[in-house]
């Protein structure tokens, strides 16, 4: 069993439950299709297709079985029938009850009949006492009742009581109330007894001239279904509807009539379309959608007709309806792959995304745009123009739309447009700076912008000079994740682009005191310690560290400041008068002490006092590298010794602070060991350790970046081979497929969607799409006779085209092909003997 989403030929939605089973005795397939919809006529198309495919083989017969069979109905009702009334009580309610009692009794009768109860005695009571009622609720319930009630006797003949029902509905078809007329016409769409429909045909025809559009459009539906099921009842239906269509003004009526012509007489539909092709822009959106569908079907069947209608599809791209523009764009790229058509469709998609308010619609259309671009990667002009249009989508406030847009934008960037893209992304970054309300979506958007600029800077080095100053401003922002992404780019940039190292180091040195994130400060210290190579850079770095750490030694300075704050603390006494519970006055005194704490401590010193000594270990690594490298570039021994002494003093002060009681968390043993090692390296200057600190670390970073690049390349290659299937991909059933000229069943809607979204080009090396996929080898290549068969399945017949090759030098006479069947298969034509030359 399966629950499926169905869509009728009229564009209406329904849910279908399909259950199929194989009978154990005969092996035949049997099943049920139940349709649930908002109104009775929504699932009309699906039911009509199933009935149309089975009507040639249908035989009206009734078999008496012990099990209760489910009655056909478009409405499913799930209730408990254990306390249902008896048939006699229902008769009394129908005969003597009020309108409200009759409504409840009719509901109970429908529920019981749906559950399998046989109540043939109710039919005449309902005809006598309920059918004449004019209440609208009763009439709605009667539509359901007449749908499920058995209308034939055991011999397959129509019940005589149904003549009275037919007369009642003939009166409803000429009723002055348009709702009753229209509802009756919708009910007649589900009647499958031609004996009931034949007397009603004049009344149905007259409804086409009713003054109310509701009646007229349902009359078209009724004529369409009757023509599909019982063509002999209304053989001139296409001609009748064509004449009706030319004089109709209501858009919904014209849409139903045009759909009927499409499915019954496509040539008449084309004649009407060509007569009003210049006025299509003034039609309603529902009719324009049907016109797009017809144009696609005609051009699919007759490719030579594309030139007649492609201009019409172009004009529909400027329709006022978003759905029409969406369908027209998809149809346009299917009919034509010229650059002009592709650009027009892409521009239409972008306009839909920008102006549509629903974020889900934005994501769906954006997926279509991405697929369209992937099919035309060779068009560089399209890539350039599309990249600037895609940037307009960033005005959306939804973070998922922005994420997908930026990912798509990265695939469009080239040397031609990268500078323009970076400049516009720079403006977006400035907008996030000016946004005072920085919620989580704004912070996430900043991260996405940083990632996009990162990719631009790495992929196109000419933009690195523009990207670096933009990204460095994120270091002092409160968005920690964005700052981490910036430092990841900075680390990669200083490794790849040596010409940018001085400007990056200078910018990072200026931003270091204002960094508020521990992880960002940790990475910044590592980069500065590794890439500060000149004398000026090293001295500036040490000066910045001294400024960030504050006055040394740290412990003595903190104790002195704490004592000073306590001495400067001021006490104030506050006296207030209060009223007690008995009404007397009482005096209350409060003593408050104000201590002047120093709130302007440097950021790095504040982190150390909070117990973040892993940051101190990172600082020790950076200072050790700087001191060792300074000895290599500076010839002044006194200056080298001074810088080394300053570095050792900072490290010793951090270690002393960690072992004191001042920080909130004590220093760990690992951090103490690392600080001690750095001090020992600075003091001893072992060549091995100096080489590790000054050269091996940078080489490890370069190896890591190279490994990351290789893994990204392998991942991108692996993603190309992944076959992705949409979660809403349709499941095809043979009953609702149409047969093409080659005998194969094809779902035209699925094929049209596939061609509109993925193109009609086939891979040259894809054997699964050719006839070779149906060829099966029967013998080995080295056998004296080689044989292979091409299998063609047509409904219940299997035809084998067998190729036999004589690989021996002798002529073989009376060569016979013996075939053995299994199961219920029977051999119809036995192959005749043949003679093969050697």
């Amino acid at each position: 069993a399966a629950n499926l989403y169905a869509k009728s030929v009229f564009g209406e939605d329904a849910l279908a439950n399909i259950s199929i089973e194989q009978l154990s005795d005969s092996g035949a397939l049997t099943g049920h299709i139940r349709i649930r919809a908002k109104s009775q006529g929504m699932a009309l198309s699906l039911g009509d297709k199933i009935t149309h495919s089975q009507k040639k083989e249908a035989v009206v017969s009734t078999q008496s079985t012990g099990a209760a069979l489910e009655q056909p109905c478009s409405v499913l009702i799930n209730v408990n029938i254990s306390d249902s009334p008896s048939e006699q009580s229902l008769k009394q309610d129908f005969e003597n009850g009020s309108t409200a009692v009759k409504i409840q009794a009719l509901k109970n009768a429908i529920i019981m009949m749906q559950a399998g109860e046989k109540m043939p005695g109710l039919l005449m009571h309902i005809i006598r006492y309920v059918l004449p009622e004019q209440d609208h609720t009763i009439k709605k319930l009667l539509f359901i009742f007449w749908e499920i009630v058995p209308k034939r006797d055991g011999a397959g003949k129509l019940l005589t009581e149904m003549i009275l029902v037919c007369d009642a509905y003939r009166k409803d078809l000429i009723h002055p109330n348009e709702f009753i007329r229209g509802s009756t016409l919708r009910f007649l769409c589900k009647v499958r007894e031609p004996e009931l429909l034949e007397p009603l045909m004049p009344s149905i025809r007259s409804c086409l001239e009713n003054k109310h559009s509701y009646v007229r459009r349902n009359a078209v539906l009724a004529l369409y279904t009757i023509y599909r099921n019982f063509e002999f009842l209304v053989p001139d239906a296409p001609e009748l509807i064509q004449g009706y269509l030319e004089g109709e003004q209501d858009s919904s009526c014209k849409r139903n009539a045009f759909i009927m012509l499409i499915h019954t007489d496509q040539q008449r539909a084309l004649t009407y379309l060509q007569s009003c092709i210049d006025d299509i822009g003034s039609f309603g959106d529902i009719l324009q959608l049907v016109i797009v569908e017809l144009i696609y079907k005609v051009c699919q069947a007759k490719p030579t007709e594309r030139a007649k209608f492609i201009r019409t599809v172009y004009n529909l791209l400027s329709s006022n309806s978003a759905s029409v523009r969406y369908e027209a764009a998809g149809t346009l790229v299917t009919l034509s792959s010229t650059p002009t058509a592709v650009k027009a469709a892409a521009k239409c998609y972008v306009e839909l995304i920008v102006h549509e308010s629903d974020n889900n619609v934005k994501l769906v259309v954006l997926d279509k745009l991405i697929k369209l671009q992937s099919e035309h990667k060779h068009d560089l002009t399209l890539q350039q123009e599309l990249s600037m249009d895609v940037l307009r989508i960033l005005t959306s406030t939804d973070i998922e739309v922005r994420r997908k847009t930026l990912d798509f934008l990265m695939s469009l960037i080239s040397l031609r447009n990268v500078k323009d893209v970076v400049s516009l992304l720079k403006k977006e970054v400035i907008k996030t700076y000016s946004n005072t309300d920085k919620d989580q979506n704004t912070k996430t958007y900043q991260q996405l912008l940083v990632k996009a600029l990162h990719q631009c800077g790495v992929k196109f080095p000419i933009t690195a000079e523009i990207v670096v100053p933009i990204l460095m401003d994120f270091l002092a922002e409160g968005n920690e994740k964005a700052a981490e992404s910036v430092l990841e780019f900075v680390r990669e940039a200083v490794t790849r682009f040596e010409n940018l190292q001085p400007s990056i180091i200078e910018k990072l040195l200026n931003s270091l005191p204002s960094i508020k994130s521990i992880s960002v400060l940790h990475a910044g210290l590592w980069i500065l310690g590794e890439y500060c190579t000149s004398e000026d850079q090293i001295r500036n770095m040490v000066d910045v560290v001294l400024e960030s750490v504050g006055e040394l030694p740290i412990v003595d300075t903190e104790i002195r400041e704490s004592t000073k704050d306590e001495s400067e603390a001021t006490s104030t006494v506050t006296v207030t008068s209060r009223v007690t519970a008995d009404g007397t006055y009482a005096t209350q005194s409060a003593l408050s002490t104000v201590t002047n704490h120093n709130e302007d401590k440097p950021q790095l010193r504040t982190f150390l006092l909070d117990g973040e000594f892993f940051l101190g270990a990172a600082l020790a690594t950076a200072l050790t590298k700087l001191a060792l490298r300074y000895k290599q570039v500076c010839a002044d021994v006194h200056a080298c010794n001074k810088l080394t002494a300053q570095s050792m003093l900072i490290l010793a002060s951090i270690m002393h602070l960690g072992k004191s009681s001042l920080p909130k968390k004590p220093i760990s043993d690992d951090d103490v060991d690392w600080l001690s090692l750095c001090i020992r390296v600075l003091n001893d200057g072992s060549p091995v350790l100096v080489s590790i600190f000054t050269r091996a670390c940078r080489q490890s970073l370069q190896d890591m970046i190279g490994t990351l690049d290789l893994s990204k390349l392998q991942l991108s290659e692996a993603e190309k081979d992944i076959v992705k299937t949409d979660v809403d991909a349709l499941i095809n059933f043979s009953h609702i497929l149409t047969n093409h000229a080659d005998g194969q069943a094809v779902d035209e809607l699925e094929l049209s969607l596939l061609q509109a979204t993925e193109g009609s080009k086939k891979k040259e090396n894809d054997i699964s799409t050719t006839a070779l996929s149906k060829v099966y080898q029967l013998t080995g290549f080295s056998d004296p006779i080689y044989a292979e068969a091409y299998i063609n399945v047509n409904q219940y017949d299997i035809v084998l085209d067998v190729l036999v090759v004589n690989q021996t030098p002798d002529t073989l006479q009376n060569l016979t092909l013996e075939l053995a069947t299994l199961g219920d298969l029977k051999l119809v034509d036995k192959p005749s003997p043949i003679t093969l030359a050697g």
Side-chain angles (χ1 to χ4, degrees), residues 98-113:
S98 61
T99 301
V101 174
K102 291 180 179 180
I103 290 174
Q104 186 59 43
L106 190 55
K107 289 181 179 179
N108 293 332
I110 294 173
I111 293 172
M112 295 173 66
M113 294 186 70

Side-chain angles (χ1 to χ4, degrees), residues 385-450:
E385 294 181 0
L386 192 58
S387 62
M388 306 311 295
D389 290 335
V390 168
L391 284 169
R392 298 169 53 198
I393 306 176
L394 294 177
T395 56
S396 173
T397 57
D398 184 69
I399 191 62
E400 291 301 326
V401 175
R402 286 175 165 177
R403 187 195 309 276
K404 182 168 288 189
T405 301
L406 288 174
D407 291 340
F408 176 44
L409 183 62
M410 291 301 102
S411 63
L412 299 175
I413 295 179
S414 62
L415 285 174
R416 294 183 177 185
N417 57 8
V418 64
K419 291 186 178 180
D420 296 333
V421 171
V422 169
S423 62
L424 290 174
L425 291 178
K426 181 180 178 180
K427 294 180 181 179
E428 290 294 320
V429 171
I430 296 174
K431 289 181 183 178
T432 61
Y433 286 153
S434 59
N435 189 0
T436 56
D437 184 17
K438 293 187 177 181
D439 54 1
Q440 184 60 37
N441 286 338
T442 304
K443 293 181 179 180
T444 306
Y445 185 42
Q446 285 182 339
Q447 299 172 27
L448 296 176
L449 290 174
V450 169

Side-chain angles (χ1 to χ4, degrees), residues 176 178 181 206-216:
E178 65 274 9
R181 280 195 180 192
S206 65
C207 289
L208 290 175
E209 302 175 359
N210 193 275
K211 63 180 180 179
H212 294 282
S213 60
Y214 177 73
V215 178
R216 297 198 303 273

Side-chain angles (χ1 to χ4, degrees), residues 39 77 398 408 412 518 525 592 594 627 659 744 793 819 826:
S39 62
I77 306 172
D398 184 69
F408 176 44
L412 299 175
I518 297 176
L525 288 173
S592 59
V594 180
K659 294 182 178 180
Q744 296 182 356
V793 180
L819 297 176
K826 296 181 180 179

